[in-house]
Amino acid sequence: MTPSVLLGSDIGGHDHDLGTRWSGAEHVKLGEEGFNHACAEFDSPHSACTNSVIYRKDRKVDLNYGKIVALGDFYKDPESAYMEQRIIKGLEKAFKCIDDQGKVHAQQETHPDVDYPDCTWVNIFSGTKYLKVLSTNINHFGWYNIIEYITIHEKALDLALVAHDLAKDNRTEQAEYVLNKALFYNAFGDHYLTDAFSAGHVRVPRKQLKSWARKNIKGMLRSYVGDSLGNILHDSDGRDRAGNHIGLHVKNSIGQEWLTHCDNHLHSGVNDQDPVIKIPVQAVSASVQEVFSAYKYGTKPEGVFQALNLVPFVNDRELHKKFKLTGNRTIDNRILQKLRNGLDWPLRMITSTKSIEKMIHALSGIMTTMGEDIQKEIAKKEPWEKRMPEEYKKNYSNIK
């Protein structure tokens, strides 16, 4: 894509894709490689490690771990995806397009500007509730995606414990069936885990923006304007002032530091040994191995889930500083218009440059509100809280 140059600003104008997420191919890639690594490390405790198939309840559609990771953009929860009764021709078409996207990964390693085939409209007409999921996807963004991962991973571990007890009673077929469901659930949960490694999903205050827009933007569609403003923030973190993809400086709870990439740029200029790919693959592997361990030994892990030690948080400038306007009305109007023009047309129709400017001026306070909301959630000592590393909680409590 050709970047647009914005004078005197750190925010770039560029193409925004509907939904703003890792592409399906990126989720599939991270899921498949993480699962294969876990199988190799844990000596193949399930048939999916050898035949690569994990079933839905009806067994009418053959899926593998990576494809189930991608289902997080099509269904609101693992049970909806697992219990689906239809043979979804549209979903099969969506996966065909995702496979076509995956074919360009090798090219992107040496030619970062190579674009994915566009699967947007295929996904919209997939026969699932794709658009509804995207319009309510707060749980795909920083902090909230990890709460969602923990919730689903816990369910997968509980299913693995049931499978363990069945296997212990020599009810092998039933044990295999329940372990299959545990892996299906875990793969779905790993969608949120892998989302956490995308630059635009690390610190965008998706929830707080919707709340802010309801109070500060006029009109019946103000909540959707909040979604639109979230798209703008999402597509700008990890880019330079000209709109070029450069990545976002992050670190994790065990001290690793790297540049994580924006959606649709997982492979841009890197190979599989680069931290931007290698670390989320390791996270998926750790997630799967905990399920395998629960099945084999009949116990759940204590304390922090291992995958979450690898999840990044921001080690970069404050988000609001990337959006600071120049004070020159002519230049600022040009910046605001470019940001608006970068939105998909339905969002562009409901989002004014005035709303974008208002959000930019309020952004520091919105980020403060996000940190305060997180502090309150941590103080409640919910069961998921003990599963997070202290460094992760500390960073998000003071997010900027």
Side-chain angles (χ1 to χ4, degrees), residues 18-69:
L18 185 64
T20 58
R21 69 224 174 276
W22 282 133
S23 75
E26 290 166 327
H27 279 299
V28 169
K29 160 90 174 185
L30 298 175
E32 284 185 353
E33 294 203 0
F35 183 74
N36 291 337
H37 184 271
C39 288
E41 290 291 311
F42 219 91
D43 195 25
S44 306
H46 186 263
S47 62
C49 287
T50 52
N51 65 21
S52 298
V53 176
I54 299 175
Y55 296 101
R56 297 187 311 180
K57 181 177 173 57
D58 62 10
R59 295 194 168 224
K60 291 180 179 178
V61 178
D62 289 347
L63 298 168
N64 60 29
Y65 198 89
K67 286 183 176 180
I68 300 168
V69 173

Side-chain angles (χ1 to χ4, degrees), residues 179-212:
L179 182 56
N180 174 87
K181 186 175 181 180
L183 291 173
F184 189 104
Y185 268 58
N186 204 67
F188 195 96
D190 282 350
H191 178 96
Y192 303 95
L193 176 65
T194 51
D195 263 344
F197 286 85
S198 172
H201 289 252
V202 176
R203 62 173 170 184
V204 170
R206 185 84 162 79
K207 178 180 179 180
Q208 289 74 23
L209 262 176
K210 284 181 74 75
S211 178
W212 176 86

Side-chain angles (χ1 to χ4, degrees), residues 331-381:
I331 294 175
D332 288 349
N333 283 341
R334 192 181 308 156
I335 291 170
L336 295 168
Q337 191 60 53
K338 284 182 180 291
L339 288 172
R340 181 176 179 270
N341 289 344
L343 291 166
D344 293 298
W345 71 264
L347 295 178
R348 190 162 63 247
M349 294 295 289
I350 66 171
T351 307
S352 67
T353 56
K354 185 176 180 180
S355 295
I356 299 171
E357 183 176 16
K358 201 169 186 179
M359 179 270 291
I360 290 173
H361 289 311
L363 189 53
S364 178
I366 294 170
M367 296 303 294
T368 298
T369 298
M370 182 179 181
E372 291 172 348
D373 288 348
I374 289 170
Q375 291 171 27
K376 292 174 184 175
E377 290 172 359
I378 292 173
K380 293 178 183 177
K381 297 291 183 181

Side-chain angles (χ1 to χ4, degrees), residues 56 58-61 74-75 80-92 126-129:
R56 297 187 311 180
D58 62 10
R59 295 194 168 224
K60 291 180 179 178
V61 178
F74 296 87
Y75 296 90
S80 298
Y82 181 74
M83 297 298 293
E84 178 62 69
Q85 294 296 307
R86 297 168 293 166
I87 301 175
I88 305 175
K89 296 295 184 184
L91 188 57
E92 292 172 350
S126 66
T128 64
K129 296 181 179 179

